[in-house]
Amino acid sequence: MRVQLVRAWPGRCETTEVEVPEGACVGDALRATGWRCEPPFVGLAIFGQRADASTRLQDGDRVELLRPLQLDPKEARRRRAEARKRTD
C-alpha cells in the first residue's frame, strides 16, 4: 500500500509517500519515514479524522501530523467580525 504523510509549519510543508504492507498502521508509516509525533506535533489524523499510532491504514490514505491550534476557531471568527465592523 502507498500512503502519504504530511507535516506543516507556518510557511512550510513537507510531504512524503511510503510503501507499507497490507494491515500496516499509522505507527508503521511513521517509522518508514523516520518521523515522530513529538513537539511541535501533538496529534495524528487521516484525512482530517483523529487517529493514533495503532490506527490501521488503507491504500491511498494521507496521514497528517497535527500541531496545536494557535487560536480557538470561534475566537478567530469573532475577531474577524469585529475587524470588519471597524472598517465599515
Side-chain angles (χ1 to χ4, degrees):
M1 298 186 305
R2 287 191 77 67
V3 296
Q4 180 182 44
L5 287 92
V6 179
R7 59 185 177 178
W9 301 265
R12 181 168 78 101
C13 175
E14 186 175 3
T15 303
T16 189
E17 283 193 8
V18 294
E19 204 54 57
V20 293
E22 289 290 326
C25 61
V26 171
D28 298 326
L30 287 171
R31 279 187 289 284
T33 62
W35 292 1
R36 288 188 251 160
C37 190
E38 57 188 27
F41 301 101
V42 297
L44 298 163
I46 298 175
F47 290 116
Q49 299 296 311
R50 192 58 109 168
D52 61 35
S54 64
T55 303
R56 294 276 178 214
L57 293 168
Q58 296 182 8
D59 189 40
D61 276 349
R62 182 185 67 223
V63 177
E64 303 149 353
L65 279 78
L66 307 173
R67 291 181 301 116
L69 291 176
Q70 302 227 329
L71 181 64
D72 175 59
K74 289 180 183 179
E75 180 61 26
R77 280 191 294 276
R78 277 189 215 104
R79 289 182 184 185
R80 285 193 304 271
E82 285 298 317
R84 276 193 294 272
K85 285 181 190 176
R86 288 191 295 268
T87 61
D88 288 341

